[in-house]
Amino acid sequence: MTPGDTFEDTACQDVVELITDYLGATLSAEQTAAIEAHLDECDGCKAYLDQVRATIGLLASMPSEALSDQTFATLMRAFKEQR
Ligand SMILES: [Zn+2]
């Protein structure tokens, strides 16, 4: 978090945009820290993260249906459109 940054509505959009990268652990340490700081203070984004995680966990637990990149991308697009 840099001084002057405020985590308001724009930050929520950033979190939604970065959530898949966050879950995939491909973000920089700074981005990860910023998202976690936001999640600490934002119930909406926390609920969103839980929902995404639960869905990914569900898909990942399906034995015959491997979670392809495309399935994943489609799923993430659907999540984003919900907001
Ligand atoms: Zn938020």
Side-chain angles (χ1 to χ4, degrees):
M1 205 187 324
T2 51
D5 269 2
T6 51
F7 289 105
E8 295 176 6
D9 289 348
T10 335
C12 288
Q13 279 183 359
D14 287 347
V15 168
V16 171
E17 288 296 319
L18 294 173
I19 205 89
T20 53
D21 292 330
Y22 172 69
L23 290 171
T26 57
L27 293 178
S28 71
E30 278 172 13
Q31 285 174 308
T32 302
I35 286 184
E36 285 176 348
H38 179 81
L39 289 169
D40 260 1
E41 297 172 4
C42 182
D43 287 343
C45 286
K46 219 182 314 188
Y48 175 73
L49 175 64
D50 285 347
Q51 191 186 11
V52 173
R53 266 200 179 126
T55 306
I56 291 172
L58 198 69
L59 288 173
S61 70
M62 291 178 186
S64 57
E65 295 273 328
L67 182 57
S68 71
D69 285 349
Q70 186 163 5
T71 307
F72 191 75
T74 305
L75 183 71
M76 287 306 120
R77 240 188 338 264
F79 270 119
K80 283 179 186 175
E81 281 164 10
Q82 273 180 19
R83 304 262 308 177

